[in-house]
Amino acid sequence: MSIKMIVGYILLIIIPFLTFAYFVYSQMNDKFIAQYQLANQQNIEQLAVNLDASLVKIESLYSIYQNNNALIEFLRGDYTNDRDLIYAYLKEIVPAISFSYLGDKLVRNLTIYPKYEERLLNVTGFKAYHELEDVIKTSDWKAMGPKKGIWTIDSIGQVPTLAYFHKIYNDSYSNDLGVLQITIQPIFFEEFLDQLRSLHPNNVILLVSQDGNIVYQKMDNTFSRNQLMEIKSSTLANGSKTLMTDRNQLLVNSTGLSRLGLTIIEINKKDAMFTLLRHKKWWIAGGFALLALLTLLYYIFVSSLTKRLLLLSRHMRRVEADSLNHPYTGHAGKDEVGFLILNYNAMINRVDELVNRVQKVELLKKEAEFQMLQAQIQPHFLYNTLETMRMLARANGDSTVADMAYSLGDLLRYSLSKQDDTTLQDELNNVKRYLSIHQIRMRDLEYEISLEEGLMTMKCPRFILQPLVENSIIHGLSKRRGAKRLDIRFAIEQDYAIIEVSDNGSGISVEKLSILRQVLAGEAVGGMQTQGTGIGLTNVAERVKAFFGGNSGVMFSSLPGEGTVCSLRLYLKENGDAEVNDRGR
């Protein structure tokens, strides 16, 4: 059966689909590459055009200063009177300089270098003519003509910084009076590079100058220096706008920025081409439609062969622990499937028999255990006798004896109860009566109870708290001289109800504490038993685990001479009543 299914799947699904995919790939691969290269080239050229337009806009700012009469007169030295110069500077020159900053956000700084005039060199916007040598080559600015300025690129920082220089002439353009410098914000190039990477975030961008030096490079992928040099050389030598290198695995696009004398080179991996497949949704939809059709045909073919297996599997999914006695009643047959069905029916009948037997044994065992525990904790003296003693003591005016008899009577009534479980509130009330009796005997005994109200209605086994208190009094506080302190705390920590009984008694030695923990964990034989009730701590631990689940238990921590902390951890998720009550606070 498995061989038929495998052969059918290969013949009807795998081979046709792979054949179709290979055909589409072989037919469309070259077309995809060409479209991808063309889209990249159009993108880089459009961005270059936008960049060039921004440069033209910045260059046009030169006309503002060339046509500013006040500035030309100042550069010619026409203002012999300083008062006239200051007036012209404030009225005509400063507004022109401010206009550049306000008119174009890309302007970072504007500086004028007067050739003859040395006044105003200490104000914003003017610098000495000889300082040009620090920002531009002497041969470059001396070669500038009246019709065209020059752009310089400073690639010292992370992103290249542009500056535009242009000479300012007199009215007849017969003599140059100074040089205008417009420095561009770095964001100018950052925006251009971000736009270039928006379509392909993992591309590599190179800015190459006319002399072949790489002015700037931005790359995320790992390309060797030799690879970059080879791509740069191939692009500049061939003058090609698009090419493929590295065994046709790298796609290269380039365009020129004539104003800046730069060539922009963009490098993409061929793998990025497949992002274009999202635009070929009809091809993808057709491929998936074909796959769905072939899958449907294969399903019909297989289901006709394995109909009985499908019916059997549906029946198996419906089988649960309480429905094991319902075997599969469909047609079995005499082949391998029929043999499987017969063995399955025999198996669930056997499982049902074993489950019922185990459940009965567990119920009988738990019933015997609880009856034995009930017999252990019932005292062997009569409540009526204590009630009579209490009445006589009260009649004779001995209120202490009367209260003691009353509390002891309540203890006996609680222990004589036939209920298997109770609530934490009843357990606490029983402990309070127990402590009131001990306070009469031990005058220096004090106790404090910290409640978590949401826990007090939680159901629990009887006599799980009093043995812990007895253990603290008998083995801890009874051996201490002076003030005796007992604290009982109820709290909720994550999925557990925590009940802590702590004392300031004599504590437990390290050896005995280790033995106690082993006994409570079931790793050692023997039980730690309290005096009075006769209920051992291992008894409490076992009943807590039986009632709240295996994650619950009794834990001890102690330091000799400093006291002992005994904790009950009650797992709430195993107790439906606890879950409702403790989360209803």
Side-chain angles (χ1 to χ4, degrees):
M1 183 66 66
S2 60
I3 295 177
K4 294 179 180 178
M5 294 173 64
I6 294 173
V7 172
Y9 184 77
I10 293 174
L11 294 177
L12 296 179
I13 301 296
I14 300 299
I15 293 178
F17 189 80
L18 291 179
T19 303
F20 173 78
Y22 177 77
F23 174 79
V24 172
Y25 176 81
S26 61
Q27 293 294 319
M28 301 298 295
N29 183 59
D30 294 339
K31 185 177 180 180
F32 281 168
I33 293 176
Q35 290 180 347
Y36 181 78
Q37 285 280 69
L38 178 60
N40 283 357
Q41 188 63 32
Q42 291 175 345
N43 179 61
I44 193 173
E45 289 180 353
Q46 181 60 48
L47 292 176
V49 170
N50 295 340
L51 182 65
D52 190 73
S54 298
L55 297 176
V56 171
K57 181 180 177 182
I58 293 172
E59 289 179 0
S60 66
L61 295 175
Y62 162 76
S63 62
I64 297 175
Y65 305 96
Q66 180 62 53
N67 298 321
N68 190 303
N69 293 328
L71 177 61
I72 299 300
E73 291 173 358
F74 162 69
L75 295 177
R76 282 200 310 251
D78 294 345
Y79 294 102
T80 58
N81 190 325
D82 289 341
R83 185 179 60 182
D84 295 338
L85 172 62
I86 294 173
Y87 175 80
Y89 171 78
L90 295 176
K91 183 179 179 181
E92 302 290 340
I93 299 175
V94 170
I97 295 175
S98 301
F99 175 82
S100 298
Y101 292 102
L102 298 176
D104 197 327
K105 65 178 182 178
L106 296 177
V107 176
R108 181 182 181 181
N109 192 20
L110 188 144
T111 306
I112 299 174
Y113 299 86
K115 187 174 181 180
Y116 305 109
E117 186 64 64
E118 294 183 357
R119 290 178 294 175
L120 298 182
L121 295 183
N122 58 343
V123 299
T124 302
F126 290 87
K127 287 186 179 181
Y129 194 73
H130 65 82
E131 293 184 26
L132 273 172
E133 298 176 356
D134 298 331
V135 294
I136 187 174
K137 294 179 180 179
T138 304
S139 58
D140 290 338
W141 65 264
K142 286 187 175 181
M144 284 189 295
K147 294 184 179 181
K148 187 176 181 181
I150 62 172
W151 286 92
T152 63
I153 301 176
D154 183 4
S155 58
I156 297 177
Q158 294 183 349
V159 178
T161 302
L162 296 178
Y164 179 69
F165 293 85
H166 203 299
K167 287 184 178 180
I168 301 177
Y169 293 83
N170 57 11
D171 296 337
S172 61
Y173 288 89
S174 60
N175 186 25
D176 60 293
L177 305 176
V179 176
L180 171 70
Q181 177 188 356
I182 303 176
T183 305
I184 309 303
Q185 297 280 5
I187 193 176
F188 176 77
F189 249 122
E190 289 178 350
E191 290 179 350
F192 170 75
L193 297 174
D194 290 339
Q195 290 175 351
L196 194 57
R197 304 200 81 185
S198 61
L199 184 60
H200 308 294
N202 295 322
N203 64 359
V204 174
I205 301 173
L206 302 179
L207 297 182
V208 182
S209 62
Q210 290 178 338
D211 54 5
N213 294 325
I214 297 179
V215 178
Y216 172 80
Q217 64 183 29
K218 189 177 184 71
M219 55 190 295
D220 293 338
N221 297 321
T222 54
F223 283 84
S224 65
R225 184 71 178 174
N226 292 335
Q227 281 182 302
L228 295 180
M229 292 298 102
E230 181 181 354
I231 293 172
K232 182 198 71 173
S233 300
S234 299
T235 304
L236 297 179
N238 299 331
S240 302
K241 294 185 175 181
T242 62
L243 59 94
M244 298 179 67
T245 62
D246 197 14
R247 297 187 299 274
N248 293 335
Q249 295 302 309
L250 297 179
L251 309 179
V252 181
N253 296 88
S254 63
T255 189
L257 291 173
S258 57
R259 292 183 183 275
L260 302 180
L262 295 177
T263 299
I264 304 174
I265 301 175
E266 181 186 16
I267 308 169
N268 290 287
K269 286 189 175 182
K270 188 177 180 181
D271 296 339
M273 178 191 69
F274 293 100
T275 58
L276 291 177
L277 288 176
R278 64 178 180 267
H279 301 300
K280 309 301 178 182
K281 57 183 179 180
W282 293 114
W283 288 99
I284 297 175
F288 278 106
L290 178 61
L291 180 61
L293 177 61
L294 296 177
T295 302
L296 178 61
L297 294 175
Y298 176 74
Y299 173 79
I300 295 174
F301 173 76
V302 172
S303 62
S304 64
L305 299 176
T306 60
K307 184 176 182 180
R308 285 174 295 162
L309 282 176
L310 294 174
L311 294 175
L312 176 62
S313 65
R314 291 172 186 169
H315 173 79
M316 294 173 68
R317 282 193 291 267
R318 292 194 298 267
V319 172
E320 296 178 354
D322 56 351
S323 61
L324 290 174
N325 58 345
H326 299 292
Y328 178 74
T329 56
H331 177 67
K334 298 181 180 181
D335 54 3
E336 295 87 351
V337 179
F339 178 79
L340 176 64
I341 293 173
L342 293 176
N343 281 274
Y344 166 75
N345 287 336
M347 180 189 68
I348 62 170
N349 288 333
R350 180 59 177 167
V351 171
D352 182 64
E353 179 183 348
L354 293 175
V355 168
N356 289 332
R357 182 182 300 175
V358 170
Q359 287 179 344
K360 290 178 181 178
V361 170
E362 289 295 323
L363 289 175
L364 291 174
K365 181 180 177 181
K366 287 186 177 181
E367 183 179 355
E369 289 176 351
F370 276 102
Q371 288 178 353
M372 179 183 66
L373 294 173
Q374 183 69 22
Q376 288 179 358
I377 64 177
Q378 289 180 356
H380 298 285
F381 42 88
L382 299 176
Y383 166 74
N384 292 335
T385 303
L386 285 174
E387 182 65 17
T388 302
M389 291 171 60
R390 186 182 72 85
M391 297 300 294
L392 290 174
R394 185 170 294 278
N396 293 331
D398 194 341
S399 59
T400 301
V401 176
D403 292 341
M404 185 178 238
Y406 178 76
S407 297
L408 184 57
D410 282 347
L411 286 174
L412 292 176
R413 182 186 295 111
Y414 185 75
S415 64
L416 288 170
S417 174
K418 298 298 182 180
Q419 296 179 349
D420 291 332
D421 53 32
T422 182
T423 63
L424 286 179
Q425 184 65 58
D426 291 339
E427 279 288 284
L428 179 60
N429 293 336
N430 183 58
V431 167
K432 288 180 179 179
R433 291 189 289 268
Y434 176 79
L435 289 173
S436 66
I437 294 175
H438 275 283
Q439 281 185 318
I440 296 173
R441 183 173 63 87
M442 305 168 67
R443 297 290 183 178
D444 53 358
L445 174 63
E446 296 181 357
Y447 70 89
E448 183 177 346
I449 299 174
S450 177
L451 294 179
E452 179 79 26
E453 295 295 339
L455 286 178
M456 305 317 294
T457 58
M458 188 178 80
K459 290 185 178 181
C460 64
R462 297 171 70 247
F463 286 101
I464 62 171
L465 185 57
Q466 183 178 333
L468 307 185
V469 177
E470 283 183 350
N471 185 76
S472 293
I473 293 176
I474 295 173
H475 297 288
L477 297 177
S478 63
K479 300 178 182 179
R480 176 182 174 84
R481 293 182 180 181
K484 300 174 177 60
R485 176 82 180 177
L486 190 70
D487 293 303
I488 303 175
R489 185 176 72 93
F490 294 79
I492 297 177
E493 296 180 4
Q494 295 182 350
D495 296 330
Y496 291 89
I498 306 297
I499 305 175
E500 286 185 355
V501 178
S502 57
D503 62 67
N504 63 343
S506 58
I508 307 174
S509 65
V510 176
E511 295 78 9
K512 289 185 178 181
L513 183 62
S514 177
I515 296 173
L516 175 59
R517 288 172 175 169
Q518 290 179 4
V519 171
L520 293 176
E523 299 174 357
V525 180
M528 304 300 292
Q529 185 162 314
T530 63
Q531 300 176 15
T533 62
I535 303 175
L537 294 177
T538 52
N539 185 308
V540 174
E542 290 174 0
R543 287 190 294 132
V544 164
K545 289 181 180 180
F547 194 89
F548 292 98
N551 293 329
S552 305
V554 181
M555 295 180 297
F556 274 87
S557 61
S558 178
L559 291 174
E562 296 185 12
T564 304
V565 178
C566 180
S567 301
L568 276 177
R569 287 172 56 87
L570 310 179
Y571 190 50
L572 299 178
K573 288 190 176 181
E574 296 283 338
N575 189 322
D577 295 317
E579 273 194 307
V580 173
N581 294 330
D582 64 7
R583 284 153 177 76
R585 294 175 294 145

